[in-house]
Amino acid sequence: MIISSMALAAAAAAAQPAQAAQPAQTAPRAAAPHSDEAQFASCAALVKREPERAVTAANDWRLRGGGILARQCLGLAYVALERWAPAAVVFEQAAREAETERRPQHADLWVQAGNSWLAANEGAKARAAFDAALATT
């Protein structure tokens, strides 16, 4: 299905975890083995290979306190499985959490929610999500 390929590609492009501004360093730092960014990268890779397993892994991570990135990965797994409404709900939850924590990726998460609602043929919910994204900029 063309829309699912486009939605997955758009979600994957927007799924890069936001990086906090850091002073310039002479050598790149590798992510700590159990950092949220490393866990997200592992989960996103699993989404591409085995999305059903990624749902389980993201839920387990979320229950262990994975927060925003765990929810985002869960949303990506649902998108890969074309489970649009659950993806939208998870992206909305992540966006609200990001807003509460004043994290920079909240607008991107609202856009991911809106795209998922569009794929689910829920125009009014998509518009609300897109409005929330625009309200944050």
Side-chain angles (χ1 to χ4, degrees):
M1 173 181 250
I2 292 176
I3 193 166
S4 67
S5 297
M6 290 173 39
L8 185 56
Q16 300 302 316
Q19 300 294 318
Q22 297 179 351
Q25 299 176 348
T26 56
R29 266 188 1 191
H34 298 293
S35 72
D36 284 344
E37 290 80 12
Q39 184 74 29
F40 180 82
S42 174
C43 187
L46 188 58
V47 166
K48 292 178 184 177
R49 291 188 320 270
E50 299 179 70
E52 284 288 351
R53 280 191 53 212
V55 168
T56 302
N59 268 320
D60 291 345
W61 178 25
R62 187 181 56 79
L63 292 173
R64 292 189 321 269
I68 296 165
L69 292 178
R71 289 184 193 280
Q72 187 176 22
C73 190
L74 180 58
L76 292 174
Y78 284 144
V79 166
L81 295 167
E82 298 184 16
R83 295 179 58 195
W84 309 118
V89 169
V90 171
F91 287 137
E92 285 182 347
Q93 291 169 343
R96 285 187 189 97
E97 186 176 343
E99 285 178 341
T100 300
E101 295 179 10
R102 300 186 189 275
R103 303 277 297 269
Q105 72 262 46
H106 60 275
D108 291 337
L109 292 163
W110 281 118
V111 170
Q112 288 179 305
N115 287 336
S116 297
W117 283 127
L118 277 179
N121 294 315
E122 294 283 353
K125 291 178 180 180
R127 182 177 179 167
F130 292 136
D131 287 346
L134 290 171
T136 65
T137 59

